[in-house]
Amino acid sequence: MSEVDKLVRKNVRELIPYSSARDEYEGDMGIFLDANENPYGTMNRYPDPHHKKLRNAISRFKNVPQENIFLGNGSDEVIDLCFRIFCNPGTDKALIMTPTYGMYEVAAAVNDVEVVRVPLDETFNISIPSVIPLLHDERLKLVFICSPNNPTGNSMESNDIELIINSFKGIVLIDEAYIDFSLHPSLSQKIMRYPNLIVMQTFSKALGMAAARIGIAFASSEIIKYFYRVKSPYNISALNQEKAFLKLAERGTIANQVRTILQERERLIDRLNKIVSVEKVFPSDANFVLVRVKDADLIYSRLLERGVIVRNRNRIIRNCLRITVGAPEENSKLLNELEKIDL
Ligand SMILES: *Cc1c(COP(=O)(O)O)cnc(C)c1O
């Protein structure tokens, strides 16, 4: 049994996966009488369960071999599959560093997995002295690191991340949803070196395809095989696979949009720093900024009345709002409305 096999739940290791009609015969020429489809129409055929065409395009776009890529129905599915593959309900644990993305806890709760919460330090970086001793717990199977982190916006130190990967026998999942807005390189090129590393990205942010629900996991081919065995057979619709495939041909447009968003982020930070009700603008490596204001609940509802919707994070980080960088005119509207509010 390999090191990866040992990390996988026994029932998953022994699973005989569902074999669909599209698994048994994979060619695209011929008379298809194998899947009980209607022979008429354009949406009549089941989509490719192995996402071959899209994975091949992602492989070239991200410079990661196709066998090291899994596609989920959004990152949400990737997160859920991690629990289902690696954590025994009712006994195993997952570690998160707070404040962070809320879906890790929800997926843990759905899968009846206990969450170990370790606060980030005062600069929202990983508190290595708090995390390292917890990694020796036999019941701890998953560690989530969100970098750049939502909702704080900062990237974690790569030395800290690699120290955790090296110190932990279980799976480390790096959530890189915002990596395209960051100055830090992706860890996707390190999956060959670390068999316990999963790097997650998404079509929902820089690629502008949130509606298509496509999440990406990069990992060793062994881990990728388990993802494909456990997922539901047709987890990504043909429409979404096709739209995502076409999007990857728009490299120039994507790069231009990211450049504009980053310029707007700097303008936003600059202007926010001059507004009286703003107490602190946290540094951002993502397409949003975390802002501490005098009274987050009040400012949130004032903005709402003016038709500007931001994310009120007051209950998670005192008096903080998370503001997405929008189009230039949207950002200007936000700034104008904020300037009018005097407390
Ligand atoms: C937005 C976001 C995602 C993307 O989730 P999808 O299900 O792929 O849309 C993943 N992780 C974090 C931290 C995010 O903020």
Side-chain angles (χ1 to χ4, degrees), residues 266-281:
E266 295 320 300
R267 181 173 78 96
L268 204 55
I269 291 172
D270 223 55
R271 292 269 307 270
L272 285 168
N273 270 315
K274 296 181 180 124
I275 293 177
V276 278
S277 55
V278 170
E279 290 191 337
K280 186 177 168 80
V281 183

Side-chain angles (χ1 to χ4, degrees), residues 74-76 101 104 146 150 175 177-178 202 204-205 213-215:
S75 305
D76 301 339
Y101 188 44
Y104 313 138
C146 190
N150 178 2
D175 186 343
Y178 300 98
T202 178
S204 298
K205 306 288 157 64
R213 311 304 308 125
I214 297 177

Side-chain angles (χ1 to χ4, degrees), residues 23-248:
D23 285 304
E24 287 184 7
Y25 177 78
E26 290 191 29
D28 21 74
M29 298 300 265
I31 296 168
F32 287 94
L33 306 176
D34 58 348
N36 300 344
E37 296 149 337
N38 184 324
Y40 307 109
T42 51
M43 290 294 292
N44 56 325
R45 300 291 176 193
Y46 280 104
D48 174 14
H50 309 289
H51 322 125
K52 287 217 177 85
K53 185 171 131 184
L54 181 54
R55 280 162 81 202
N56 183 267
I58 294 170
S59 169
R60 282 178 282 121
F61 196 86
K62 297 283 185 181
N63 194 26
V64 174
Q66 192 163 338
E67 62 175 27
N68 299 105
I69 300 172
F70 167 75
L71 302 181
N73 194 333
S75 305
D76 301 339
E77 186 185 14
V78 177
I79 295 166
D80 183 61
L81 284 172
C82 285
F83 283 103
R84 290 164 65 190
I85 294 169
F86 300 108
C87 297
N88 289 292
T91 46
D92 288 337
K93 304 176 193 172
L95 186 147
I96 66 170
M97 301 171 205
T98 55
T100 193
Y101 188 44
M103 269 312 289
Y104 313 138
E105 289 214 44
V106 174
V110 169
N111 287 285
D112 195 14
V113 170
E114 185 184 324
V115 174
V116 180
R117 291 173 200 83
V118 182
L120 293 166
D121 69 16
E122 58 287 348
T123 57
F124 297 134
N125 275 292
I126 297 175
S127 170
I128 285 291
S130 319
V131 172
I132 296 292
L134 300 171
L135 300 179
H136 305 299
D137 184 342
E138 288 290 318
R139 293 277 172 223
L140 184 68
K141 297 294 170 72
L142 275 179
V143 170
F144 288 91
I145 301 174
C146 190
S147 181
N149 188 39
N150 178 2
T152 60
N154 61 304
S155 291
M156 303 300 148
E157 296 288 342
S158 58
N159 287 342
D160 291 347
I161 296 177
E162 289 199 51
L163 181 60
I164 291 173
I165 299 170
N166 280 313
S167 314
F168 185 47
K169 285 213 289 281
I171 298 289
V172 179
L173 185 143
I174 316 290
D175 186 343
E176 292 188 341
Y178 300 98
I179 194 70
D180 298 313
F181 303 106
S182 166
L183 296 172
H184 291 66
S186 167
L187 278 139
S188 60
Q189 299 304 320
K190 304 233 165 160
I191 51 168
M192 302 303 178
R193 189 177 320 167
Y194 302 118
N196 61 334
L197 172 64
I198 299 174
V199 175
M200 190 169 75
Q201 294 184 9
T202 178
F203 272 71
S204 298
K205 306 288 157 64
L207 292 176
M209 299 280 289
R213 311 304 308 125
I214 297 177
I216 312 170
F218 300 112
S220 69
S221 58
E222 257 193 301
I223 291 180
I224 297 301
K225 276 187 205 141
Y226 277 113
F227 275 115
Y228 273 98
R229 286 160 57 109
V230 174
K231 77 166 177 86
S232 64
Y234 304 110
N235 64 327
I236 304 179
S237 85
L239 287 172
N240 293 341
Q241 290 190 53
E242 185 58 21
K243 286 285 186 194
F245 174 80
L246 293 174
K247 175 59 83 172
L248 293 180

